[in-house]
Amino acid sequence: MKFAKVMPTILGGALLLASVSPAAAAPISDSSIPFEAPYTSEESILLTNNPDETIYNYLGQQEQFLNADVKGQLKIIKRSTDTSGVRHFRLKQYIKGVPVYGAEQTIHLDKNGAVTSALGDLPPIEEQAIPNDGVPAISAEDAIQAAEKEATSRIGELGAPELEPKAELNIYHHEEDGQTYLVYITEVNVLEPAPLRTKYFINALDGSIVSQFDIINFATGTGTGVLGDTKTLTTTQSGSTFQLKDTTRGNGIQTYSANNRSSLPGTLLTSSNNIWTDRAAVDAHAYAAATYDFYKNKFNRNGIDGNGLLIRSTVHYGSNYNNAFWNGAQIVFGDGDGSLFRAFSADLDVVGHELTHGVIEYTADLEYRNEPGALNEAFADIMGNTIESKNWLLGDDIYTPNIPGDALRSLSNPTLYDQPDKYSDRYTGTQDNGGVHINSGIINKAYYLAAQGGTHNGVTVSGIGRDKAVRIFYSTLVNYLTPTSKFAAAKTATIQAAKDLYGANSAEATAITKAYQAVGL
Ligand code: ASN
Ligand code: ZN
Ligand code: CA
């Protein structure tokens, strides 16, 4: 009889438990029945006084539960007898000589040779559903390479394997889609560049990944952020403690505390229970992950340098320190003084801004003074604001905690916070490196107009939305600008990026042109 559903147990688990007496639970001696080549032929069932025969006779009686073929597919792979004389058998399913992943069955005989229980979970596989008759089209070596390629895309160039990789051909019943696959099962197991142990099910016909899961490595913690919100965090378990280390994004994200001192990176944050209470650290860790994901998902960029560069964040830098920064190697957040600012990591657009300074250093590398410096600041604001996409403000979640509604800067109306919104109003003095945090308002406003649309200085722009606008500005930064680009070059570059992405006569290119015209460029 064929069956359609997964067979849970032949007999119930309760019976199994009930049948195990304290004596039977005593240490199991090694197989007192010598292991023989598994046999499944009718002939063997005719043997007398053989416990194996009892097992197969029993399976033959279970046809109301078992696919008729299953009896012939189950091979005894282990026999043992414990001190009470109870015999334990472990059987494994093979179809066309290929093992079926996870398809094992245990059966137990009491000292009189009667079956007391059986337990297993055999997948419902029809023999004719086995792809290519169980013959692989790629080699085990190909499968190992496919797995290593996926692992490399997640954590970077792999170090030496902790276990020599091997790939075993299996039949795999995929519970999610109900399909039967012929797969190689292999494991990537490395410590460098980050600890990773992942099991892969590689399609033995085309090398694609059918399924995969991480065996060790990361844990999911929960924490409370600066604003009292609860969030999940990717962390790492190390022995009995948890570390604020995410190994699943690029070469990792690690969050430290400077403990109100000024040496970096400080100490890695840990927890005994994976419940995180350092609110500034919770936000820094979660928002670094969100920023990584934004760059990965939207632009397929693997981290700050495009090559998975480790993101290190330090919170509680200095005492009442009213700033955050990228120092060329990591991002750093002060706690704020509590009145002008609260902890800087509490705002996703600020975390995105600081990490974007890192991205800029690895791309256009805009010089941090005068117009190139203001472009540097504007791109940091534009990306930070777009990562959050909550409003057009910068720093509204951390600025003046006792005054609601204000912010550090506004992309839609830079003049609200003493920034120019047209080129003729630009600051030409020497403060702030030649006004890098001032003149950025001009470019911020151009971005806002391109995304949202509007009329400014008599020029009307049809908005193309944040998504297209940010793709154009990202491409401008990564592909077109150079370290000494000024605003005029930024205009040319952004228009060219829009034409290259959307077409020379596209509405997108027109919107960018008008947006720059509206700010007097
Ligand atoms: N928070 C400031 C910024 O990222 C620090 C600086 O002046 N560079 O722009
Ligand atoms: Zn900045
Ligand atoms: Ca405020």
Side-chain angles (χ1 to χ4, degrees):
M1 185 189 102
K2 304 276 179 194
F3 64 104
K5 279 192 295 206
V6 173
M7 185 187 69
T9 59
I10 294 177
L11 304 176
L15 176 57
L16 173 71
L17 285 177
S19 71
V20 175
S21 67
I28 290 171
S29 75
D30 227 322
S31 57
S32 59
I33 303 168
F35 184 85
E36 306 167 11
Y39 52 84
T40 57
S41 68
E42 286 302 313
E43 189 186 59
S44 64
I45 291 169
L46 299 176
L47 292 174
T48 55
N49 266 345
N50 187 325
D52 287 8
E53 184 185 350
T54 309
I55 297 297
Y56 285 103
N57 283 343
Y58 171 79
L59 287 170
Q61 289 159 10
Q62 301 304 321
E63 290 212 328
Q64 72 269 35
F65 298 113
L66 289 169
N67 179 330
D69 298 335
V70 164
K71 185 175 138 188
Q73 294 167 346
L74 285 171
K75 297 183 182 181
I76 298 170
I77 57 169
K78 192 167 197 251
R79 302 169 179 83
S80 64
T81 306
D82 66 26
T83 49
S84 66
V86 172
R87 293 178 201 274
H88 306 283
F89 294 81
R90 179 175 295 274
L91 297 88
K92 187 170 173 65
Q93 189 179 15
Y94 292 79
I95 304 179
K96 300 180 188 295
V98 181
V100 179
Y101 175 74
E104 295 189 7
Q105 181 77 38
T106 62
I107 302 180
H108 313 268
L109 305 184
D110 67 16
K111 55 180 183 285
N112 303 318
V115 173
T116 57
S117 71
L119 199 71
D121 190 359
L122 304 178
I125 295 174
E126 308 279 342
E127 210 159 308
Q128 59 273 22
I130 308 302
N132 208 34
D133 253 349
V135 180
I138 67 169
S139 68
E141 198 46 52
D142 294 337
I144 290 168
Q145 275 177 21
E148 288 175 344
K149 186 166 169 235
E150 197 282 341
T152 301
S153 79
R154 280 197 292 157
I155 64 168
E157 214 50 55
L158 305 181
E162 292 300 298
L163 288 176
E164 209 45 55
K166 42 186 203 298
E168 190 195 24
L169 191 67
N170 269 246
I171 289 160
Y172 175 58
H173 175 74
H174 197 8
E175 280 197 29
E176 264 148 53
D177 65 11
Q179 305 263 30
T180 298
Y181 294 89
L182 185 66
V183 297
Y184 282 106
I185 298 178
T186 185
E187 211 177 280
V188 171
N189 188 333
V190 294
L191 287 178
E192 297 294 341
L196 186 82
R197 184 180 177 206
T198 304
K199 194 170 203 126
Y200 290 91
F201 300 73
I202 305 290
N203 192 321
L205 299 186
D206 63 13
S208 63
I209 296 170
V210 173
S211 186
Q212 71 184 77
F213 57 87
D214 290 306
I215 299 168
I216 51 157
N217 172 29
F218 70 87
T220 301
T222 55
T224 306
V226 173
L227 302 177
D229 47 335
T230 306
K231 53 195 80 184
T232 59
L233 301 167
T234 305
T235 61
T236 298
Q237 182 165 13
S238 173
S240 59
T241 57
F242 294 87
Q243 301 170 319
L244 214 41
K245 274 186 182 180
D246 175 347
T247 59
T248 67
R249 292 176 168 90
N251 293 336
I253 297 175
Q254 304 182 352
T255 303
Y256 287 68
S257 173
N259 304 300
N260 296 116
R261 305 181 67 90
S262 56
S263 58
L264 291 173
T267 51
L268 181 68
L269 286 151
T270 59
S271 158
S272 60
N273 58 4
N274 214 13
I275 298 171
W276 300 83
T277 53
D278 183 324
R279 293 179 169 210
V282 165
D283 281 344
H285 200 66
Y287 293 158
T291 300
Y292 178 91
D293 290 348
F294 173 84
Y295 276 104
K296 185 74 177 72
N297 297 337
K298 195 160 290 258
F299 310 123
N300 198 27
R301 181 182 187 84
N302 182 12
I304 287 176
D305 67 348
N307 197 25
L309 184 78
L310 175 71
I311 296 175
R312 192 169 274 144
S313 308
T314 296
V315 295
H316 306 305
Y317 177 79
S319 177
N320 293 333
Y321 183 68
N322 267 335
N323 212 341
F325 57 90
W326 159 258
N327 78 347
Q330 67 159 101
I331 47 174
V332 183
F333 302 98
D335 289 329
D337 60 10
S339 100
L340 191 58
F341 287 103
R342 60 161 65 93
F344 277 72
S345 58
D347 199 329
L348 174 54
D349 56 43
V350 170
V351 175
H353 174 109
E354 300 308 341
L355 285 170
T356 299
H357 277 310
V359 173
I360 294 168
E361 216 168 279
Y362 282 96
T363 54
D365 196 18
L366 292 154
E367 188 178 62
Y368 204 65
R369 58 180 170 178
N370 305 323
E371 285 193 18
L375 287 171
N376 190 319
E377 271 304 310
F379 279 95
D381 276 355
I382 288 164
M383 302 312 273
N385 179 268
T386 307
I387 291 165
E388 187 165 35
S389 284
K390 185 179 71 179
N391 51 38
W392 297 100
L393 301 172
L394 238 293
D396 49 314
D397 288 326
I398 55 160
Y399 188 59
T400 58
N402 305 314
I403 306 171
D406 60 352
L408 214 45
R409 292 185 284 278
S410 164
L411 274 62
S412 58
N413 189 358
T415 60
L416 280 178
Y417 302 106
D418 301 321
Q419 287 189 300
D421 64 358
K422 56 177 185 288
Y423 192 61
S424 56
D425 287 350
R426 69 190 177 280
Y427 170 75
T428 55
T430 57
Q431 285 175 38
D432 184 33
N433 280 13
V436 297
H437 293 91
I438 301 169
N439 292 332
S440 53
I442 297 163
I443 304 299
N444 284 351
K445 177 80 181 195
Y447 173 76
Y448 164 79
L449 288 168
Q452 185 68 10
T455 301
H456 184 55
N457 297 316
V459 180
T460 298
V461 186
S462 278
I464 57 174
R466 266 190 171 110
D467 181 64
K468 286 177 176 171
V470 82
R471 288 179 195 280
I472 294 166
F473 274 71
Y474 174 78
S475 178
T476 303
L477 174 67
V478 169
N479 300 317
Y480 297 84
L481 295 179
T482 63
T484 55
S485 293
K486 297 185 179 63
F487 283 12
K491 175 183 176 178
T492 308
T494 317
I495 293 169
Q496 193 58 45
K499 287 179 173 173
D500 291 347
L501 281 170
Y502 296 102
N505 301 311
S506 60
E508 291 80 3
T510 303
I512 297 293
T513 306
K514 294 277 185 192
Y516 274 97
Q517 278 172 6
V519 297
L521 285 165

